[in-house]
Amino acid sequence: MTAHSADLWSYAEIARHISVQPETVRNYRRHGLLPEPDSHDTAGHPRWHADTIRAWARSRPRHR
């Protein structure tokens, strides 16, 4: 795994990657459409590896 692929992304970073608002990403998670978090930060916020989200984004339907 490269250093870049080990980056942990927040809702905002995921939203930027798929061109939606962060609240949309939160809704995806609430509805079980987002992969389980890879980690949590020190405040308990979920984080995902960039590679996890890239793979999910490639396989997700475009319009939910």
Side-chain angles (χ1 to χ4, degrees):
M1 190 179 311
T2 66
H4 181 68
S5 65
D7 292 344
L8 290 172
W9 287 4
S10 67
Y11 288 120
E13 290 155 329
I14 295 168
R16 266 193 303 278
H17 182 70
I18 62 172
S19 301
V20 299
Q21 294 297 314
E23 188 58 31
T24 301
V25 179
R26 287 183 188 88
N27 283 329
Y28 285 168
R29 183 163 185 227
R30 278 193 282 275
H31 293 286
L33 302 174
L34 195 64
E36 286 298 312
D38 292 305
S39 185
H40 290 81
D41 66 14
T42 56
H45 300 123
R47 296 290 184 254
W48 292 262
H49 288 291
D51 285 347
T52 299
I53 296 304
R54 287 185 190 109
W56 168 79
R58 281 191 302 271
S59 66
R60 78 182 182 95
R62 292 293 171 214
H63 303 285
R64 291 245 180 208

